[in-house]
Amino acid sequence: MAVAVAGGGDPVALFEARYRELRRRKALTTGLGALLFVLTFGASAIVGEVDPGRFAAGVPNILDYVHRTLPEISARQPLTDIGEWYWAIDIWLLLMLDTVLMGFVGTLAGTAVALLFCFHAAANLAPTRWSFWLARRGFEFARTVPELVFALIFVFAFGPGPFAGVLAIAIHSAGALGKLFAEVNENADPRPIDALAAAGAGWTETMRFAVLPQVLPNFLSYGLLRFEINVRAASVLGIVGAGGIGEELYLVVRRFLYSDISAIVLLILITVSLIDMGCERLRHGLIEAGPARATR
């Protein structure tokens, strides 16, 4: 029995016409998107002065600079040559420890601030629209301003040293973690929240007992990831006088002490790699433990 169609048209023909129309629209949208991408890429390449020929000509200079920084370690006396390469290892280790502690303290402070305001920054949990707006804008400001800019301001205000670096890392970490924490909060299971609200619990109690137990493993995981990032950031902040191994690296670069450059860079690389591996193991343990606790 034929299906009646409004207007008396053939349903197959109407379906094919509709399908062709959708295909044309999709092709047009795809073409416009591709054109926009090409134009954006071209404009970015022009503004960024991307020049493949210049890049190819500069690669040998990079390799030459790296070659200059490498020490001469002979097969006859390798330990002696390595000892001369790391002639100031005691000083560098202390500065590296300062860098790690800067990253650690800055991460703790930033995590505390993010934890305090992340519930206000969650669209489904904020008690008022004003608190949501203020928390979001505060986190955006904290993570948008580069850490180097914050470090320069604090070096000017408090003088050179690790304190300026800790403050810069703490503020930037608060902004970055605040956004991540808020997004985790928005994905929390609403059933415990509704249950506590129905039982008469206040907003603070609901966040503490209904939301925080669900999201805490993710919070800890993001905090560890941020610690890895902050150790690397602390190594750079020394360039502007914020203390740590970065300040020593900046000095040897300016003095063209090539072997010292490679020694310090390798020390930073080893330290950051060890921290990354340790934090990765802890993060995986926390991620696996989170669902296990939730099913109990």
Side-chain angles (χ1 to χ4, degrees):
M1 186 175 191
V3 179
V5 180
D10 184 4
V12 176
L14 292 175
F15 175 80
E16 292 178 350
R18 178 60 177 169
Y19 177 74
R20 286 193 296 269
E21 177 66 20
L22 292 176
R23 287 291 301 271
R24 282 195 295 269
R25 289 183 182 180
K26 183 177 180 181
L28 179 61
T29 303
T30 304
L32 290 176
L35 178 62
L36 180 61
F37 173 80
V38 171
L39 293 175
T40 304
F41 178 80
S44 302
I46 293 173
V47 174
E49 299 181 357
V50 177
D51 187 351
R54 184 180 177 186
F55 175 78
V59 168
N61 296 330
I62 297 175
L63 298 177
D64 180 64
Y65 185 86
V66 173
H67 178 70
R68 291 185 183 184
T69 63
L70 298 178
E72 296 182 1
I73 300 177
S74 63
R76 294 182 179 179
Q77 48 180 14
L79 296 179
T80 302
D81 294 337
I82 293 176
E84 293 179 358
W85 185 26
Y86 279 91
W87 63 275
I89 185 62
D90 53 341
I91 299 174
W92 295 339
L93 283 177
L94 289 175
L95 292 174
M96 193 70 239
L97 179 61
D98 289 345
T99 299
V100 174
L101 293 178
M102 284 169 56
F104 181 72
V105 176
T107 303
L108 283 181
T111 302
V113 175
L115 182 62
L116 185 62
F117 295 103
C118 67
F119 300 102
H120 293 271
N124 59 331
L125 300 178
T128 64
R129 293 180 61 184
W130 277 108
S131 66
F132 170 76
W133 189 88
L134 290 174
R136 283 283 185 171
R137 303 295 83 78
F139 286 148
E140 289 172 1
F141 171 77
R143 69 174 179 271
T144 300
V145 179
E147 293 163 320
L148 281 173
V149 175
F150 281 130
L152 283 171
I153 295 173
F154 294 134
V155 166
F156 178 80
F158 305 110
F163 182 58
V166 169
L167 290 178
I169 290 172
I171 293 177
H172 199 272
S173 297
L177 290 176
K179 176 180 174 59
L180 295 174
F181 288 0
E183 292 178 351
V184 172
N185 290 337
E186 290 176 348
N187 293 323
D189 187 355
R191 289 174 296 181
I193 301 173
D194 296 338
L196 278 181
W203 182 84
T204 302
E205 291 81 5
T206 302
M207 298 301 104
R208 166 63 182 85
F209 295 104
V211 181
L212 186 60
Q214 298 185 58
V215 299
L216 188 58
N218 287 328
F219 282 9
L220 295 175
S221 178
Y222 282 132
L224 289 172
L225 176 61
R226 193 67 207 179
F227 173 54
E228 303 172 17
I229 298 172
N230 287 341
V231 172
R232 291 190 288 269
S235 302
V236 177
L237 293 181
I239 294 176
V240 297
I245 194 67
E247 191 169 350
E248 181 72 10
L249 178 61
Y250 179 62
L251 291 176
V252 299
V253 169
R254 291 190 60 184
R255 295 173 183 174
F256 300 100
L257 302 175
Y258 292 111
S259 61
D260 288 358
I261 295 173
S262 60
I264 293 175
V265 169
L266 182 59
L267 179 62
I268 295 173
L269 177 62
I270 293 173
T271 303
V272 172
S273 297
L274 292 174
I275 292 174
D276 285 354
M277 288 186 290
C279 290
E280 183 180 4
R281 291 178 64 89
L282 288 174
R283 283 203 313 273
H284 287 315
L286 291 169
I287 292 173
E288 294 172 359
R293 281 197 295 264
T295 57
R296 291 178 183 174

